[in-house]
Amino acid sequence: MIGRRGIVAGLLGGLVAGCTKVAQSGPGGRLLDAVEDWNRAVHRALTKRTALAREFAPAEISPTFRGNGTIQPDGFDYMMQQAAEFAGWRLAVDGLVERPLTLTLDQLKALPQRTQITRHDCVEGWSAIGQWTGPQLSRLLRLAGLRPEARYIVFHCADRLSGSPYYESIDLIDAFHPQTIVAHALNGAPLPVKNGAPLRLRVERQLGYKHAKYLQRIEAVASLRGIGGGKGGYWEDRGYQWYAGI
Ligand SMILES: Nc1nc2c(c(=O)[nH]1)N[C@H]1C(S)=C(S)[C@@H](COP(=O)(O)O)O[C@H]1N2
Ligand SMILES: [Mo]
């Protein structure tokens, strides 16, 4: 993970530089304190980003997990796939990768799986607890091999809202977070159409709109400019925060 390693290297570099300056300036207690404060702040920020979201017990699963936003994509291609129970669905992993992938649902299910019971929080003011299953996104990205220029992962969806394609994006810290998965099952059954069949992102440290449904393509990019309205997501292009941490 270039991101984290880069930050840690920068941090060590900063500490070494700090120590040299302290050594040069004699009793530099104040400077050392400042470096320590900075170190602590960076460390706190990093642990916050990489901490696990709370996981719940099976008894806490919501009896119904409502659908929000698109609950039935109305494109012809999607409806044909739906009629065939998504037997022909393919997930592309491409962009700034060494080995572009096209994966069937069976191939995704054959990878090691993660199952997690988490709470979904929508900005519109509702929450639901559900159990999600699927391969970790990190595994797909390692299979494809990210190129060093990759900075963001973009999720292209099969639906449109008010005429524009739904899409989302996250940085590499969230992309490699252990609870970031490409889910094909909700509560032990194939994903219902209203919840994003046949594949949706779960990015558990962020709000509901980041959890892209109807996933067709995962693209590694260096910049979010030029995709949609350029702000990194359908709702971001309409004024929502790009980083929607919870
Ligand atoms: N493709 C797509 N993904 C989407 C949306 C959407 O309209 N289209 N809505 C988002 C919003 S605002 C929320 S709260 C969740 C809702 O997920 P659910 O339908 O499983 O409750 O999906 C998110 N992902
Ligand atoms: Mo939402």
Side-chain angles (χ1 to χ4, degrees):
M1 258 189 59
I2 315 139
R4 183 165 181 166
R5 229 177 255 152
I7 295 168
V8 171
L11 192 113
L12 291 176
L15 276 178
V16 171
C19 292
T20 313
K21 271 197 202 140
V22 170
Q24 281 167 357
S25 60
R30 295 263 294 279
L31 178 57
L32 194 56
D33 282 352
V35 170
E36 262 181 25
D37 283 351
W38 177 67
N39 177 9
R40 212 176 294 124
V42 171
H43 182 76
R44 207 183 294 127
L46 275 179
T47 30
K48 220 174 143 204
R49 288 293 313 276
T50 55
L52 294 181
R54 179 171 168 202
E55 294 194 16
F56 295 78
E60 295 172 283
I61 292 173
S62 304
T64 56
F65 200 107
R66 62 172 279 184
N68 201 47
T70 302
I71 53 170
Q72 170 64 68
D74 57 8
F76 177 77
D77 290 349
Y78 183 89
M79 308 260 275
M80 291 297 284
Q81 295 275 0
Q82 186 178 346
E85 294 180 340
F86 304 105
W89 195 269
R90 298 288 183 275
L91 177 69
V93 182
D94 58 21
L96 296 173
V97 299
E98 304 291 348
R99 297 169 292 277
L101 310 172
T102 308
L103 298 162
T104 65
L105 293 183
D106 283 344
Q107 287 173 326
L108 286 164
K109 289 176 193 167
L111 293 170
Q113 306 286 296
R114 188 174 210 283
T115 292
Q116 58 202 29
I117 303 177
T118 53
R119 194 184 65 213
H120 178 101
D121 295 307
C122 172
V123 278
E124 289 167 28
W126 59 273
S127 299
I129 294 175
Q131 183 199 64
W132 306 96
T133 302
Q136 291 173 315
L137 177 63
S138 61
R139 191 168 295 275
L140 304 187
L141 297 178
R142 286 199 182 98
L143 280 174
L146 281 189
R147 298 224 205 118
E149 315 90 81
R151 285 288 173 278
Y152 305 97
I153 306 298
V154 180
F155 303 89
H156 298 280
C157 306
D159 62 317
R160 291 172 166 266
L161 268 185
S162 310
S164 302
Y166 200 95
Y167 77 103
E168 258 304 338
S169 62
I170 58 178
D171 66 15
L172 297 187
I173 295 182
D174 267 322
F176 284 88
H177 188 285
Q179 287 169 317
T180 299
I181 66 173
V182 174
H184 55 77
L186 169 60
N187 300 336
L191 266 190
V193 167
K194 71 177 187 343
N195 302 112
L199 295 172
R200 70 134 4 123
L201 177 68
R202 293 301 307 172
V203 49
E204 304 292 357
R205 300 296 315 283
Q206 295 205 51
L207 286 170
Y209 60 89
K210 302 294 293 187
H211 300 235
K213 305 194 284 186
Y214 317 111
L215 274 185
Q216 269 185 324
R217 179 176 173 221
I218 295 176
E219 183 192 10
V221 300
S223 159
L224 299 171
R225 268 178 281 130
I227 300 164
K231 299 267 168 55
Y234 177 88
W235 284 113
E236 290 84 335
D237 289 336
R238 288 153 184 82
Y240 284 37
Q241 294 289 315
W242 176 76
Y243 183 70
I246 43 179

